[in-house]
Coordinates of all heavy atoms in Angstrom, one line a residue:
M1 N 51.3 181.7 9.2 CA 51.4 182.8 10.2 C 50.5 182.5 11.4 O 49.4 182.0 11.3 CB 50.8 184.0 9.5 CG 51.2 185.3 10.2 SD 50.7 186.7 9.1 CE 50.7 187.9 10.2
S2 N 51.1 182.7 12.5 CA 50.3 182.4 13.7 C 50.2 183.6 14.6 O 51.1 184.6 14.4 CB 50.9 181.2 14.5 OG 52.1 181.6 15.0
G3 N 49.3 183.7 15.4 CA 49.1 184.8 16.3 C 47.7 184.9 16.8 O 46.9 184.0 16.5
P4 N 47.4 186.0 17.4 CA 46.0 186.1 18.0 C 44.9 186.1 17.0 O 43.8 185.9 17.3 CB 46.1 187.4 18.8 CG 47.3 188.1 18.4 CD 48.2 187.1 17.8
D5 N 45.3 186.5 15.7 CA 44.3 186.6 14.7 C 44.0 185.2 14.0 O 43.0 185.1 13.2 CB 44.7 187.6 13.6 CG 44.8 189.0 14.2 OD1 44.0 189.3 15.1 OD2 45.6 189.8 13.6
K6 N 44.8 184.2 14.3 CA 44.6 182.9 13.6 C 43.5 182.2 14.3 O 43.4 182.1 15.5 CB 45.9 182.1 13.8 CG 45.8 180.8 13.1 CD 47.1 180.0 13.2 CE 47.0 178.7 12.4 NZ 48.1 177.8 12.6
P7 N 42.5 181.8 13.5 CA 41.3 181.1 14.1 C 41.7 179.8 14.6 O 42.5 179.1 14.1 CB 40.3 181.0 12.9 CG 41.2 181.1 11.7 CD 42.4 181.9 12.1
K8 N 41.0 179.4 15.7 CA 41.2 178.1 16.3 C 40.5 177.0 15.5 O 39.3 177.2 15.2 CB 40.8 178.0 17.8 CG 41.0 176.7 18.5 CD 40.7 176.8 19.9 CE 41.0 175.5 20.6 NZ 40.8 175.6 22.1
V9 N 41.2 176.0 15.1 CA 40.5 174.9 14.3 C 40.0 173.8 15.3 O 40.8 173.3 16.1 CB 41.5 174.3 13.3 CG1 40.9 173.2 12.5 CG2 42.1 175.4 12.4
L10 N 38.7 173.6 15.2 CA 38.1 172.5 16.1 C 37.9 171.3 15.2 O 37.6 171.4 14.0 CB 36.8 173.0 16.7 CG 37.0 174.3 17.6 CD1 35.6 174.7 18.0 CD2 37.9 174.0 18.8
D11 N 37.9 170.1 15.8 CA 37.7 168.9 15.2 C 38.6 168.6 14.0 O 38.2 167.9 13.0 CB 36.2 168.8 14.7 CG 35.2 168.6 15.9 OD1 35.6 168.1 16.9 OD2 34.1 169.0 15.7
E12 N 39.8 169.1 14.1 CA 40.8 168.9 13.1 C 41.4 167.5 13.2 O 41.6 167.0 14.3 CB 41.9 169.9 13.3 CG 43.1 169.7 12.4 CD 44.3 170.7 12.8 OE1 44.1 171.4 13.7 OE2 45.3 170.6 12.1
E13 N 41.5 166.7 12.1 CA 42.0 165.4 12.1 C 43.6 165.5 12.3 O 44.2 166.3 11.6 CB 41.7 164.6 10.9 CG 42.1 163.2 11.0 CD 41.6 162.3 9.9 OE1 40.6 162.7 9.3 OE2 42.1 161.3 9.6
W14 N 44.1 164.7 13.2 CA 45.6 164.8 13.4 C 46.3 163.7 12.6 O 45.8 162.6 12.5 CB 45.8 164.5 14.9 CG 45.5 165.7 15.8 CD1 44.5 166.6 15.6 CD2 46.1 166.0 17.0 NE1 44.5 167.5 16.6 CE2 45.4 167.1 17.5 CE3 47.1 165.4 17.8 CZ2 45.7 167.7 18.8 CZ3 47.4 166.0 19.0 CH2 46.7 167.1 19.5
S15 N 47.5 164.0 12.2 CA 48.3 163.0 11.5 C 48.9 162.1 12.6 O 49.0 162.4 13.8 CB 49.5 163.7 10.8 OG 50.4 164.3 11.7
D16 N 49.4 160.9 12.2 CA 50.1 160.0 13.1 C 51.2 160.7 13.8 O 51.5 160.5 15.0 CB 50.5 158.7 12.4 CG 49.4 157.8 12.1 OD1 48.3 158.0 12.5 OD2 49.7 156.8 11.3
E17 N 52.0 161.5 13.0 CA 53.2 162.1 13.6 C 52.7 163.1 14.7 O 53.4 163.2 15.8 CB 53.9 162.9 12.5 CG 54.6 162.0 11.5 CD 53.7 161.4 10.5 OE1 52.6 162.0 10.2 OE2 54.0 160.3 10.1
R18 N 51.7 163.8 14.5 CA 51.2 164.8 15.5 C 50.7 164.0 16.8 O 50.9 164.4 17.9 CB 50.1 165.7 14.9 CG 49.7 166.8 15.9 CD 48.8 167.8 15.2 NE 48.3 168.8 16.2 CZ 47.3 169.6 15.9 NH1 46.7 169.5 14.8 NH2 47.0 170.4 16.8
V19 N 49.9 162.9 16.5 CA 49.5 162.1 17.6 C 50.6 161.6 18.4 O 50.7 161.6 19.7 CB 48.6 160.9 17.1 CG1 48.3 159.9 18.2 CG2 47.3 161.5 16.5
K20 N 51.6 161.0 17.7 CA 52.8 160.5 18.4 C 53.6 161.5 19.2 O 54.3 161.2 20.1 CB 53.7 159.8 17.4 CG 53.1 158.5 16.9 CD 54.1 157.8 15.9 CE 53.5 156.6 15.3 NZ 54.4 156.0 14.3
S21 N 53.5 162.8 18.8 CA 54.2 163.8 19.5 C 53.8 164.0 20.9 O 54.5 164.6 21.7 CB 54.1 165.2 18.7 OG 52.8 165.8 19.0
H22 N 52.7 163.4 21.3 CA 52.2 163.5 22.7 C 52.7 162.3 23.6 O 52.4 162.2 24.7 CB 50.7 163.5 22.7 CG 50.2 164.9 22.5 ND1 50.2 165.5 21.2 CD2 49.6 165.8 23.3 CE1 49.7 166.7 21.3 NE2 49.3 166.9 22.6
L23 N 53.5 161.4 22.9 CA 54.0 160.3 23.7 C 55.1 160.8 24.7 O 55.8 161.8 24.4 CB 54.7 159.2 22.8 CG 53.7 158.4 21.9 CD1 54.5 157.6 20.9 CD2 52.8 157.6 22.7
P24 N 55.2 160.2 25.9 CA 56.2 160.6 26.8 C 57.6 160.5 26.2 O 57.9 159.5 25.5 CB 56.0 159.7 28.0 CG 55.0 158.7 27.7 CD 54.5 159.0 26.4
S25 N 58.5 161.4 26.6 CA 59.9 161.3 26.1 C 60.7 160.4 27.0 O 60.3 160.2 28.2 CB 60.5 162.7 26.0 OG 60.4 163.3 27.2
S26 N 61.8 159.9 26.5 CA 62.7 159.1 27.3 C 63.8 159.9 28.0 O 64.1 160.9 27.4 CB 63.3 158.0 26.5 OG 62.3 157.1 26.0
P27 N 64.4 159.6 29.1 CA 63.9 158.5 29.9 C 62.7 158.8 30.7 O 62.4 160.0 30.9 CB 65.1 158.3 30.9 CG 65.7 159.7 31.0 CD 65.5 160.3 29.6
K28 N 61.9 157.8 31.1 CA 60.7 158.0 31.7 C 60.8 158.6 33.1 O 61.6 158.1 33.9 CB 59.9 156.7 31.8 CG 59.3 156.2 30.5 CD 58.3 155.2 30.7 CE 57.6 154.9 29.4 NZ 56.4 154.1 29.5
E29 N 60.1 159.6 33.4 CA 60.0 160.2 34.7 C 58.8 159.7 35.4 O 57.8 159.3 34.8 CB 59.9 161.7 34.6 CG 61.0 162.4 33.9 CD 60.7 163.9 33.6 OE1 59.7 164.4 34.2 OE2 61.3 164.4 32.7
E30 N 58.8 159.6 36.7 CA 57.6 159.2 37.5 C 56.4 160.1 37.1 O 56.6 161.3 37.1 CB 57.9 159.2 39.0 CG 56.8 158.5 39.7 CD 57.1 158.2 41.2 OE1 58.3 158.1 41.5 OE2 56.2 158.2 42.0
G31 N 55.3 159.5 36.8 CA 54.1 160.2 36.5 C 54.0 160.6 35.0 O 53.0 161.2 34.6
S32 N 55.1 160.3 34.2 CA 55.1 160.8 32.9 C 54.0 160.1 32.0 O 53.4 160.7 31.1 CB 56.4 160.6 32.2 OG 56.8 159.3 32.1
D33 N 53.7 158.8 32.3 CA 52.6 158.1 31.6 C 51.3 158.7 31.8 O 50.5 159.0 30.9 CB 52.6 156.6 31.9 CG 53.8 155.9 31.2 OD1 54.4 156.4 30.3 OD2 54.0 154.7 31.6
Y34 N 51.0 159.0 33.1 CA 49.7 159.6 33.5 C 49.6 161.0 32.8 O 48.6 161.3 32.2 CB 49.5 159.6 35.0 CG 48.2 160.1 35.4 CD1 47.2 159.2 35.7 CD2 47.9 161.5 35.5 CE1 45.9 159.7 36.1 CE2 46.6 161.9 35.9 CZ 45.6 161.0 36.2 OH 44.4 161.5 36.5
T35 N 50.7 161.7 32.9 CA 50.7 163.1 32.4 C 50.5 163.1 30.9 O 49.8 163.9 30.3 CB 52.0 163.8 32.8 OG1 52.1 163.8 34.2 CG2 52.0 165.2 32.2
A36 N 51.1 162.1 30.2 CA 51.0 162.0 28.7 C 49.6 161.7 28.3 O 49.0 162.3 27.4 CB 51.9 160.9 28.2
L37 N 48.9 160.8 29.1 CA 47.5 160.5 28.8 C 46.6 161.7 29.0 O 45.7 162.0 28.2 CB 47.1 159.3 29.7 CG 47.6 157.9 29.4 CD1 47.4 157.0 30.5 CD2 47.0 157.4 28.1
L38 N 46.9 162.4 30.1 CA 46.1 163.6 30.4 C 46.2 164.7 29.3 O 45.2 165.2 28.9 CB 46.6 164.2 31.8 CG 45.8 165.4 32.2 CD1 44.4 165.2 32.5 CD2 46.5 166.0 33.5
K39 N 47.5 164.9 28.9 CA 47.7 165.9 27.9 C 47.0 165.5 26.5 O 46.4 166.4 25.9 CB 49.2 166.2 27.7 CG 49.8 167.0 28.8 CD 51.3 167.2 28.6 CE 51.9 168.0 29.7 NZ 53.3 168.2 29.6
A40 N 47.1 164.2 26.2 CA 46.5 163.8 25.0 C 45.0 163.9 25.0 O 44.3 164.3 24.1 CB 47.0 162.3 24.7
Y41 N 44.4 163.5 26.2 CA 43.0 163.6 26.4 C 42.5 165.0 26.2 O 41.5 165.3 25.6 CB 42.7 163.0 27.8 CG 41.3 163.3 28.3 CD1 40.2 162.7 27.7 CD2 41.1 164.1 29.4 CE1 38.9 162.9 28.1 CE2 39.8 164.3 29.9 CZ 38.7 163.7 29.3 OH 37.4 164.0 29.7
R42 N 43.2 165.9 26.8 CA 42.8 167.3 26.7 C 42.9 167.9 25.3 O 42.2 168.8 25.0 CB 43.7 168.2 27.7 CG 43.3 167.9 29.1 CD 44.2 168.7 30.0 NE 43.8 168.6 31.4 CZ 44.6 169.0 32.4 NH1 45.8 169.6 32.2 NH2 44.2 168.9 33.7
A43 N 43.9 167.4 24.5 CA 44.1 168.0 23.2 C 43.4 167.3 22.1 O 43.2 167.9 21.0 CB 45.7 167.9 22.9
M44 N 43.0 166.0 22.2 CA 42.6 165.2 21.1 C 41.1 164.9 21.1 O 40.5 164.8 22.2 CB 43.3 163.9 21.0 CG 44.8 164.1 20.8 SD 45.7 162.5 20.8 CE 47.3 163.0 20.9
R45 N 40.5 164.7 19.9 CA 39.2 164.1 19.8 C 39.3 162.7 20.2 O 40.4 162.1 20.1 CB 38.7 164.2 18.3 CG 38.7 165.6 17.7 CD 38.3 165.5 16.2 NE 39.2 164.6 15.5 CZ 38.9 163.9 14.5 NH1 37.7 164.1 13.9 NH2 39.8 163.1 13.9
A46 N 38.2 162.0 20.5 CA 38.2 160.6 20.9 C 38.9 159.7 19.8 O 39.6 158.8 20.2 CB 36.8 160.1 21.2
E47 N 38.6 160.0 18.6 CA 39.2 159.1 17.5 C 40.7 159.2 17.5 O 41.4 158.2 17.4 CB 38.7 159.5 16.1 CG 37.2 159.4 16.0 CD 36.3 160.5 16.5 OE1 36.9 161.6 16.9 OE2 35.1 160.3 16.6
D48 N 41.2 160.4 17.7 CA 42.7 160.6 17.7 C 43.3 160.0 19.0 O 44.3 159.5 19.0 CB 43.0 162.1 17.5 CG 42.6 162.6 16.2 OD1 42.7 161.9 15.2 OD2 42.1 163.7 16.1
F49 N 42.5 160.2 20.1 CA 43.0 159.6 21.4 C 43.1 158.1 21.3 O 44.0 157.5 21.8 CB 42.0 160.1 22.5 CG 42.5 159.6 23.8 CD1 43.5 160.2 24.5 CD2 41.8 158.5 24.5 CE1 43.9 159.8 25.8 CE2 42.2 158.1 25.7 CZ 43.3 158.7 26.4
G50 N 42.2 157.5 20.5 CA 42.2 156.1 20.3 C 43.5 155.6 19.6 O 44.1 154.7 20.0
R51 N 43.9 156.4 18.6 CA 45.1 156.1 17.9 C 46.3 156.4 18.8 O 47.3 155.6 18.8 CB 45.2 157.0 16.6 CG 44.2 156.6 15.6 CD 44.2 157.3 14.3 NE 45.4 158.1 14.0 CZ 45.4 159.4 13.7 NH1 44.3 160.1 13.8 NH2 46.5 160.0 13.4
F52 N 46.3 157.4 19.6 CA 47.3 157.7 20.6 C 47.5 156.6 21.6 O 48.6 156.1 21.8 CB 47.0 159.0 21.4 CG 48.0 159.2 22.5 CD1 49.2 159.8 22.3 CD2 47.6 158.8 23.8 CE1 50.1 159.9 23.4 CE2 48.5 159.0 24.9 CZ 49.7 159.6 24.6
V53 N 46.4 156.0 22.1 CA 46.5 154.9 23.0 C 47.2 153.7 22.4 O 48.0 153.1 23.1 CB 45.1 154.6 23.6 CG1 45.1 153.2 24.3 CG2 44.6 155.7 24.5
G54 N 46.9 153.4 21.2 CA 47.6 152.3 20.5 C 49.1 152.6 20.4 O 49.9 151.7 20.7
F55 N 49.5 153.8 20.0 CA 50.9 154.1 20.0 C 51.5 154.1 21.3 O 52.7 153.6 21.5 CB 51.1 155.5 19.3 CG 50.7 155.6 17.9 CD1 50.0 156.7 17.5 CD2 51.0 154.6 17.0 CE1 49.6 156.8 16.1 CE2 50.6 154.7 15.6 CZ 49.9 155.9 15.2
F56 N 50.8 154.6 22.3 CA 51.3 154.6 23.7 C 51.6 153.2 24.3 O 52.6 153.0 24.8 CB 50.2 155.3 24.5 CG 50.5 155.5 26.0 CD1 51.3 156.5 26.4 CD2 49.9 154.7 26.9 CE1 51.6 156.7 27.8 CE2 50.1 154.8 28.3 CZ 51.0 155.9 28.7
V57 N 50.6 152.3 24.0 CA 50.8 150.9 24.5 C 52.0 150.3 23.8 O 52.8 149.6 24.3 CB 49.5 150.1 24.3 CG1 49.8 148.6 24.6 CG2 48.5 150.6 25.3
E58 N 52.1 150.5 22.4 CA 53.1 150.0 21.6 C 54.5 150.5 22.1 O 55.5 149.7 22.0 CB 52.9 150.4 20.2 CG 53.8 149.8 19.1 CD 53.4 150.3 17.7 OE1 52.4 149.8 17.2 OE2 54.1 151.2 17.2
A59 N 54.6 151.7 22.6 CA 55.8 152.3 23.1 C 56.1 151.9 24.5 O 57.1 152.3 25.1 CB 55.8 153.8 23.0
G60 N 55.3 151.0 25.1 CA 55.5 150.5 26.5 C 54.9 151.4 27.6 O 55.2 151.3 28.7
G61 N 54.0 152.3 27.2 CA 53.3 153.1 28.2 C 52.4 152.3 29.1 O 51.9 151.3 28.7
D62 N 52.2 152.8 30.3 CA 51.4 152.2 31.3 C 50.0 152.8 31.4 O 49.9 153.9 31.9 CB 52.1 152.2 32.7 CG 51.3 151.6 33.8 OD1 50.3 150.9 33.5 OD2 51.8 151.7 34.9
L63 N 49.0 152.1 30.8 CA 47.6 152.7 30.9 C 47.1 152.8 32.3 O 46.1 153.5 32.5 CB 46.7 151.8 30.0 CG 46.9 151.9 28.5 CD1 45.9 150.9 27.8 CD2 46.6 153.3 28.0
N64 N 47.7 152.0 33.2 CA 47.2 152.0 34.6 C 48.1 152.9 35.5 O 48.0 152.7 36.7 CB 47.1 150.6 35.1 CG 46.0 149.8 34.2 OD1 44.9 150.3 34.1 ND2 46.4 148.7 33.7
A65 N 48.9 153.7 34.9 CA 49.7 154.6 35.8 C 48.7 155.5 36.6 O 47.6 155.8 36.2 CB 50.5 155.5 34.9
T66 N 49.1 155.9 37.8 CA 48.3 156.6 38.7 C 48.8 158.0 38.9 O 50.0 158.3 38.7 CB 48.1 155.9 40.0 OG1 49.4 155.7 40.6 CG2 47.4 154.6 39.9
N67 N 47.9 158.9 39.3 CA 48.3 160.2 39.7 C 48.6 160.2 41.2 O 48.6 159.2 41.9 CB 47.2 161.3 39.4 CG 45.9 161.0 40.2 OD1 45.8 160.2 41.1 ND2 44.8 161.7 39.7
E68 N 48.9 161.4 41.8 CA 49.3 161.4 43.2 C 48.2 161.0 44.2 O 48.4 160.7 45.3 CB 49.8 162.8 43.6 CG 48.9 164.0 43.3 CD 48.9 164.4 41.8 OE1 49.8 164.1 41.0 OE2 48.0 165.1 41.4
A69 N 46.9 161.0 43.7 CA 45.8 160.6 44.5 C 45.5 159.1 44.4 O 44.6 158.6 45.0 CB 44.5 161.4 44.1
G70 N 46.3 158.4 43.5 CA 46.1 157.0 43.4 C 45.1 156.6 42.3 O 44.7 155.5 42.2
E71 N 44.6 157.6 41.6 CA 43.6 157.3 40.5 C 44.3 156.9 39.2 O 45.3 157.5 38.9 CB 42.9 158.6 40.1 CG 41.9 159.1 41.1 CD 41.2 160.4 40.5 OE1 41.9 161.3 40.0 OE2 40.0 160.5 40.6
T72 N 43.8 155.9 38.5 CA 44.2 155.6 37.2 C 43.6 156.7 36.2 O 42.7 157.4 36.6 CB 43.8 154.2 36.7 OG1 42.4 154.2 36.6 CG2 44.3 153.1 37.7
F73 N 44.1 156.7 35.0 CA 43.6 157.7 34.1 C 42.2 157.3 33.7 O 41.3 158.2 33.5 CB 44.5 157.8 32.8 CG 44.1 159.0 32.1 CD1 44.3 160.3 32.6 CD2 43.4 158.9 30.9 CE1 43.9 161.4 31.9 CE2 43.0 160.0 30.2 CZ 43.3 161.3 30.7
L74 N 41.8 156.0 33.7 CA 40.4 155.6 33.5 C 39.5 156.2 34.6 O 38.4 156.6 34.3 CB 40.3 154.1 33.4 CG 39.0 153.5 33.1 CD1 38.3 154.1 31.8 CD2 39.0 152.0 33.0
D75 N 40.0 156.1 35.8 CA 39.2 156.7 36.9 C 38.9 158.2 36.6 O 37.8 158.7 36.7 CB 40.0 156.6 38.2 CG 40.2 155.2 38.8 OD1 39.4 154.3 38.4 OD2 41.2 155.1 39.5
H76 N 39.9 158.9 36.2 CA 39.8 160.3 35.9 C 38.8 160.6 34.8 O 37.9 161.4 35.0 CB 41.2 160.9 35.6 CG 41.2 162.3 35.2 ND1 41.1 163.3 36.2 CD2 41.4 163.0 34.0 CE1 41.1 164.5 35.5 NE2 41.3 164.3 34.3
V77 N 39.0 160.0 33.7 CA 38.2 160.2 32.5 C 36.7 159.8 32.8 O 35.8 160.5 32.3 CB 38.7 159.4 31.3 CG1 37.7 159.4 30.1 CG2 40.0 160.0 30.9
S78 N 36.5 158.8 33.6 CA 35.2 158.3 33.9 C 34.3 159.3 34.7 O 33.1 159.2 34.7 CB 35.2 157.0 34.6 OG 35.9 156.0 33.8
Q79 N 35.0 160.3 35.3 CA 34.3 161.3 36.1 C 33.7 162.4 35.2 O 32.9 163.2 35.7 CB 35.2 161.9 37.1 CG 35.7 160.9 38.1 CD 36.8 161.5 39.0 OE1 36.9 162.7 39.2 NE2 37.7 160.7 39.5
H80 N 34.1 162.4 33.9 CA 33.7 163.5 33.0 C 32.6 163.1 32.2 O 32.6 162.1 31.6 CB 34.9 163.9 32.2 CG 36.1 164.4 32.9 ND1 37.3 164.4 32.4 CD2 36.2 164.8 34.2 CE1 38.2 164.9 33.3 NE2 37.5 165.1 34.4
R81 N 31.6 164.0 32.1 CA 30.4 163.8 31.3 C 30.8 163.5 29.8 O 30.2 162.6 29.2 CB 29.5 165.0 31.3 CG 28.2 164.9 30.6 CD 27.3 166.1 31.0 NE 28.0 167.4 30.9 CZ 28.0 168.1 29.8 NH1 27.5 167.7 28.7 NH2 28.7 169.3 29.8
K82 N 31.8 164.2 29.3 CA 32.2 164.0 27.9 C 33.3 163.0 27.8 O 33.9 162.8 26.7 CB 32.6 165.3 27.3 CG 31.5 166.3 27.2 CD 31.9 167.6 26.5 CE 30.7 168.5 26.3 NZ 31.0 169.7 25.6
G83 N 33.6 162.2 28.8 CA 34.7 161.3 28.8 C 34.3 159.9 28.4 O 35.2 159.0 28.4
V84 N 33.1 159.6 28.1 CA 32.6 158.3 27.9 C 33.3 157.6 26.7 O 33.8 156.4 26.9 CB 31.1 158.3 27.6 CG1 30.6 156.9 27.2 CG2 30.3 158.8 28.8
E85 N 33.5 158.3 25.6 CA 34.2 157.7 24.5 C 35.6 157.4 24.8 O 36.2 156.4 24.4 CB 34.1 158.6 23.2 CG 32.7 158.7 22.6 CD 32.7 159.6 21.4 OE1 33.4 159.2 20.4 OE2 32.0 160.6 21.4
Y86 N 36.2 158.3 25.5 CA 37.6 158.1 25.9 C 37.8 156.9 26.9 O 38.7 156.1 26.8 CB 38.2 159.4 26.6 CG 38.2 160.6 25.6 CD1 37.0 161.4 25.5 CD2 39.3 160.9 24.9 CE1 37.1 162.5 24.6 CE2 39.3 162.0 24.1 CZ 38.2 162.8 23.9 OH 38.2 163.8 23.1
A87 N 36.8 156.8 27.8 CA 36.9 155.7 28.7 C 36.7 154.3 28.0 O 37.4 153.4 28.3 CB 35.8 155.8 29.8
K88 N 35.9 154.3 27.0 CA 35.7 153.1 26.2 C 37.0 152.7 25.5 O 37.4 151.5 25.4 CB 34.6 153.3 25.1 CG 33.2 153.2 25.7 CD 32.2 153.4 24.6 CE 30.8 153.5 25.2 NZ 29.8 153.8 24.2
V89 N 37.7 153.7 24.9 CA 39.0 153.5 24.3 C 40.0 152.9 25.2 O 40.6 151.9 24.9 CB 39.5 154.8 23.7 CG1 41.0 154.7 23.3 CG2 38.7 155.2 22.5
L90 N 40.0 153.5 26.4 CA 41.0 153.0 27.4 C 40.6 151.5 27.9 O 41.5 150.7 28.0 CB 41.0 153.9 28.7 CG 41.6 155.3 28.4 CD1 41.2 156.3 29.5 CD2 43.1 155.2 28.3
E91 N 39.3 151.3 28.1 CA 38.9 149.9 28.5 C 39.2 148.9 27.5 O 39.7 147.8 27.8 CB 37.4 149.9 28.9 CG 37.1 150.7 30.2 CD 35.7 150.9 30.5 OE1 34.8 150.9 29.5 OE2 35.3 151.1 31.6
Q92 N 39.0 149.2 26.2 CA 39.2 148.3 25.1 C 40.7 148.0 25.0 O 41.1 146.9 24.5 CB 38.7 148.9 23.8 CG 37.2 148.8 23.7 CD 36.6 149.6 22.5 OE1 37.4 150.2 21.8 NE2 35.3 149.5 22.3
A93 N 41.6 148.9 25.4 CA 43.0 148.8 25.4 C 43.6 148.1 26.6 O 44.7 147.8 26.7 CB 43.7 150.1 25.2
G94 N 42.7 147.8 27.6 CA 43.1 147.0 28.8 C 43.2 147.8 30.0 O 43.7 147.3 31.0
A95 N 42.9 149.1 30.0 CA 43.0 150.0 31.2 C 42.0 149.5 32.3 O 40.9 149.0 32.0 CB 42.7 151.4 30.9
K96 N 42.4 149.6 33.5 CA 41.6 149.2 34.7 C 41.4 150.4 35.6 O 42.1 151.4 35.6 CB 42.3 148.1 35.5 CG 42.7 146.9 34.7 CD 41.6 146.1 34.3 CE 42.0 144.8 33.6 NZ 41.1 144.4 32.6
R97 N 40.3 150.3 36.3 CA 40.0 151.3 37.3 C 40.9 151.0 38.5 O 41.2 149.9 38.8 CB 38.6 151.3 37.7 CG 37.7 151.8 36.6 CD 36.2 151.8 37.0 NE 35.4 151.9 35.9 CZ 34.9 153.1 35.4 NH1 35.3 154.2 36.0 NH2 34.2 153.2 34.4
G98 N 41.3 152.1 39.2 CA 42.2 151.9 40.4 C 41.4 151.5 41.7 O 40.2 151.6 41.7
A99 N 42.1 151.1 42.7 CA 41.5 150.7 43.9 C 40.8 151.9 44.6 O 39.9 151.7 45.4 CB 42.5 150.1 44.9
V100 N 41.2 153.1 44.3 CA 40.7 154.3 44.9 C 39.3 154.7 44.3 O 38.5 155.4 44.9 CB 41.7 155.5 44.7 CG1 41.1 156.8 45.3 CG2 43.0 155.2 45.4
A101 N 39.1 154.2 43.1 CA 37.8 154.6 42.4 C 36.6 154.2 43.1 O 36.5 153.1 43.8 CB 37.8 154.0 41.0
E102 N 35.6 155.0 43.0 CA 34.3 154.7 43.7 C 33.3 154.3 42.6 O 33.4 154.7 41.5 CB 33.7 156.0 44.4 CG 34.6 156.4 45.5 CD 34.0 157.7 46.1 OE1 33.1 158.3 45.6 OE2 34.6 158.1 47.1
G103 N 32.4 153.4 42.9 CA 31.3 153.0 42.0 C 31.6 151.8 41.3 O 32.0 151.3 40.4

């Protein structure tokens, strides 16, 4: 049963199927890789995001896709105080900072 009375579960471990449900759908639209990374980042704990990144790369996703400002997702996550673990996951998977990034 769901509704306003259902408590929000925090730090819930996600199944592989749930993690994979955040992969972009085909055919790819422009910006869909960046958007998929953003949605997964907002929804997942760092551990689950790490699994998502593995599935994302395996499915041909572009870790260096940029947003309309020319930022890579690593640029975006690196600006957040709580994004350190996520940035490490991205860097270990081969993500790069964009030319627009400062620092």
Side-chain angles (χ1 to χ4, degrees):
M1 195 169 163
S2 66
D5 296 332
K6 184 177 180 187
K8 184 174 184 175
V9 178
L10 300 175
D11 290 333
E12 174 185 4
E13 186 169 341
W14 287 29
S15 68
D16 283 351
E17 292 75 29
R18 187 171 177 196
V19 170
K20 287 179 182 180
S21 74
H22 280 72
L23 291 171
S25 56
S26 296
K28 287 196 175 193
E29 301 170 16
E30 187 166 335
S32 63
D33 284 346
Y34 186 94
T35 301
L37 289 165
L38 179 64
K39 287 180 179 178
Y41 168 65
R42 288 178 175 168
M44 298 177 192
R45 302 172 309 149
E47 296 83 11
D48 297 319
F49 184 75
R51 291 180 21 238
F52 170 81
V53 166
F55 296 137
F56 181 78
V57 170
E58 187 177 284
D62 181 5
L63 289 177
N64 296 311
T66 57
N67 63 13
E68 55 280 345
E71 290 181 312
T72 65
F73 194 69
L74 180 56
D75 295 332
H76 177 74
V77 170
S78 297
Q79 297 171 28
H80 301 161
R81 184 172 46 90
K82 294 185 177 183
V84 174
E85 288 181 63
Y86 297 85
K88 285 181 186 175
V89 164
L90 290 164
E91 288 171 337
Q92 289 172 352
K96 304 288 182 212
R97 294 181 191 270
V100 176
E102 296 176 353

